[in-house]
Amino acid sequence: MDISQSAAEFVAPAPQVVVMGVSGSGKSTIGALVADAMGMPFLDGDSLHPLANIRKMADGVALTDEDRWPWLEIVGDELASASAKGVVIACSALKRRYRDVIRAKAPATIFLHLDGTLEVLGSRLEGRSGHFMPPALLASQLAALEPLDADEHAVVIDISASITAILAEAQAGIKHVFER
């Protein structure tokens, strides 16, 4: 072994986390809070969408799988290139095959699913402004959502709790999955 190597080269990697869920579940808010609490950078996956996707969603048009593939590849690349500090990315990741695309690039990804009822999600969307996802698309997202399977590294959290409780449960769940 080369003794000139720094201790930083031997630091265990940190988690690569995707905060997932439908629009209104709190992916950006909870993702940023989790990242801050765990000392990791945060990236909103919405910022990685090609402009054509953003325009479609703003016009109330649901994205097709063909629209999503390049975006999901970018999300996976961002996770795979994360530093030793890890990273938290907000990304809907509604279907298993979408999560598979991400995992193909970053196999150790932990999916933090923010789960809520139609009533909770709808009320959150109604109170939100300045976002390109209109509330009318919530039903299509809920219909598309595929629950996480037992073989996926995942944490599922009910978003009806307080932000403090959600944050604590998210951190504990991520640590538990990461340390397995």
Side-chain angles (χ1 to χ4, degrees):
M1 178 170 97
D2 180 356
I3 58 172
S4 66
Q5 290 176 306
S6 72
E9 294 177 66
F10 300 105
V11 173
Q16 300 164 326
V17 179
V18 168
V19 180
M20 62 168 282
V22 298
S23 189
S25 61
K27 294 181 299 288
S28 297
T29 300
I30 298 301
L33 290 169
V34 166
D36 184 59
M38 298 183 79
M40 297 188 290
F42 172 74
L43 182 59
D44 194 326
D46 284 347
S47 69
L48 303 174
H49 267 294
L51 185 56
N53 287 5
I54 294 171
R55 286 185 179 140
K56 275 183 132 177
M57 290 184 286
D59 289 341
V61 177
L63 298 179
T64 65
D65 284 350
E66 288 69 36
D67 295 324
R68 288 185 183 93
W69 300 135
W71 173 61
L72 294 166
E73 295 255 345
I74 293 167
V75 170
D77 288 338
E78 290 290 334
L79 288 158
S81 66
S83 71
K85 290 181 79 171
V87 67
V88 176
I89 298 180
C91 170
S92 53
L94 299 178
K95 296 185 179 191
R96 170 69 189 240
R97 65 182 174 265
Y98 302 165
R99 298 186 298 268
D100 288 344
V101 169
I102 293 168
R103 257 191 310 274
K105 300 278 186 166
T109 299
I110 298 169
F111 290 91
L112 174 63
H113 179 197
L114 302 178
D115 191 31
T117 65
L118 178 61
E119 293 75 27
V120 169
L121 294 161
S123 69
R124 288 182 177 199
L125 283 176
E126 291 299 328
R128 188 163 78 173
S129 63
H131 194 269
F132 55 75
M133 177 65 81
L137 289 183
L138 178 58
S140 71
Q141 284 199 334
L142 286 169
L145 178 62
E146 294 175 1
L148 290 150
D149 290 321
D151 66 327
E152 297 183 87
H153 301 295
V155 178
V156 179
I157 296 178
D158 180 352
I159 60 166
S160 64
S162 70
I163 293 286
T164 304
I166 293 169
L167 179 57
E169 189 176 345
Q171 287 179 267
I174 291 166
K175 287 176 184 174
H176 175 76
V177 171
F178 184 67
E179 293 169 357
R180 274 197 257 171

